[in-house]
Amino acid sequence: MKRLGLAATLAAVLALLPATARADTTYPDPLPLTGQQIIHDPTVHHLKNGRYVAYSTGGIIGARLSTDMRRWDDAGNAFTEPPGWWYEYNDKADPWAPDLSYRDGRYWLYYAVSSWGTNHSAIGVATSRTGMPGTWTDHGKVFTSEKTDPWNAIDPAIVRADGKLWMSFGSYWTGIRMVELNPKTGKAIPGATVHHLATRPDAPYAVEGPSIVKHGRYYYLFASYDACCQGVNSTYKIRVGRSTKVTGPYVDSTGKPLLEGGGDLLLAGHGRYVGTGGESVFRDKGKDWLAYHYYDAEDNGTPKLGLNRLGWKADGWPSLP
């Protein structure tokens, strides 16, 4: 058989690959930002007072404020001091991965308290009329996990579906789970079923940080896969699957279940933007946005805020234009 040149061989190989595999090799850079960009596990919201707020892991739930979603300023913390019960789960009262939402005339801030490498964890909730830093009233535990549980109660994310309120959560320990909440208290319904949404085939089941949104007739589950929190050595990436029911089953565009390790790759590290993950999705002025952190390879691996427009293809799957 005639021997092909390198370029021709590469072209022949690429022609045999599915289109999605080719598309996954390039990713858009995040929106150019200024000001205080250092952040981890961001949740972003456009408040009714006109300001944008981003809450995050670090401090007593660190806060950033912006008037245009481009320049961000340090705004202290959500809380002036940590609630006492946090010390049951972390000796430094260090909260993680908040989730901000609005309903029934109040802002609701969910967050996790745990320690690295254990599933002795708790998710808490606080409310505020304005959503601004320093205005939050804590209401205690929403849902907990212990070392005997096959899940980890961290990384909460709230979604409403079919008249009910749901919270997805999870990190390692068999992956992403979901539980129904009481809409009046914002806390888990006692004895509610803990649904299983996504996992990896093998231990340590490296998937965490869910975010669920509805588009069209589908619910879309975004999650962070692989290793976080290692600076320029982080391998975090964002994958997505969808389901017609909020409780699943979720599948990727090939039909592979997320409970079997499936998930379309939406965003991975590229160039200076390493370890993209810790994501959340928010809507502003009729447009959807993806918020996440990345580790800046040109700034010693400092974690920074990433923002990208979230688009939707004709077949309903999300894309980053």
Side-chain angles (χ1 to χ4, degrees):
M1 185 171 69
K2 184 177 179 181
R3 190 173 180 180
L4 295 173
L6 178 60
T9 301
L10 180 58
V13 171
L14 289 176
L16 297 174
L17 295 176
T20 53
R22 293 199 300 273
D24 286 345
T25 59
T26 59
Y27 306 95
D29 293 344
L31 194 72
L33 305 178
T34 61
Q36 178 54 277
Q37 302 173 51
I38 299 174
I39 208 164
H40 215 273
D41 305 320
T43 180
V44 178
H45 203 93
H46 195 179
L47 301 177
K48 292 188 177 297
N49 65 11
R51 295 187 181 184
Y52 295 89
V53 66
Y55 288 110
S56 67
T57 296
I60 318 175
I61 305 182
R64 309 283 183 266
L65 288 172
S66 175
T67 58
D68 59 5
M69 213 166 65
R70 302 300 193 273
R71 176 180 172 82
W72 293 86
D73 296 311
D74 191 349
N77 299 278
F79 296 96
T80 54
E81 60 182 36
W85 69 266
W86 289 7
Y87 292 96
E88 298 175 38
Y89 297 90
N90 185 295
D91 59 7
K92 296 180 180 179
D94 181 23
W96 299 347
D99 176 83
L100 180 61
S101 57
Y102 181 85
R103 61 182 175 84
D104 300 333
R106 292 188 289 176
Y107 292 93
W108 298 72
L109 187 66
Y110 288 78
Y111 58 85
V113 189
S114 186
S115 297
W116 192 267
T118 178
N119 66 332
H120 174 61
S121 310
I123 292 169
V125 66
T127 58
S128 165
R129 291 294 180 184
T130 66
M132 290 289 286
T135 68
W136 293 93
T137 300
D138 190 65
H139 301 290
K141 303 174 190 178
V142 171
F143 189 75
T144 64
S145 61
E146 299 299 338
K147 294 180 181 179
T148 53
D149 290 319
W151 55 74
N152 192 9
I154 71 169
D155 295 0
I158 305 303
V159 62
R160 285 182 283 188
D162 302 322
K164 297 181 179 180
L165 189 67
W166 300 88
M167 180 179 72
S168 58
F169 65 92
S171 171
Y172 290 66
W173 274 273
T174 71
I176 307 302
R177 302 279 180 157
M178 172 173 274
V179 67
E180 187 180 352
L181 304 182
N182 181 325
K184 292 184 178 180
T185 65
K187 299 183 178 183
I189 295 173
T193 299
V194 179
H195 301 273
H196 201 182
L197 307 186
T199 190
R200 304 289 288 276
D202 303 304
Y205 314 109
V207 54
E208 58 188 3
S211 181
I212 295 178
V213 297
K214 189 176 185 183
H215 179 76
R217 68 188 190 94
Y218 290 100
Y219 293 93
Y220 291 81
L221 168 59
F222 300 80
S224 297
Y225 284 58
D226 297 325
C228 169
C229 315
Q230 298 178 23
V232 294
N233 295 316
S234 301
T235 57
Y236 240 17
K237 55 184 66 70
I238 301 170
R239 293 186 180 272
V240 62
R242 72 184 184 185
S243 172
T244 55
K245 295 183 179 179
V246 73
T247 54
Y250 288 85
V251 299
D252 64 21
S253 62
T254 71
K256 185 174 183 178
L258 268 60
L259 283 171
E260 297 177 9
D264 284 8
L265 186 57
L266 180 69
L267 182 64
H270 57 286
R272 68 186 292 181
Y273 310 102
V274 178
T276 53
E279 79 293 329
S280 60
V281 177
F282 68 100
R283 191 165 181 80
D284 179 47
K285 299 176 182 177
K287 299 177 181 179
D288 293 317
W289 290 86
L290 180 73
Y292 57 94
H293 68 252
Y294 65 89
Y295 301 92
D296 192 342
E298 296 182 7
D299 190 14
N300 299 312
T302 300
K304 296 183 179 180
L305 176 62
L307 294 172
N308 285 79
R309 272 286 312 281
L310 185 67
W312 301 93
K313 300 176 185 177
D315 59 4
W317 286 97
S319 64
L320 298 177

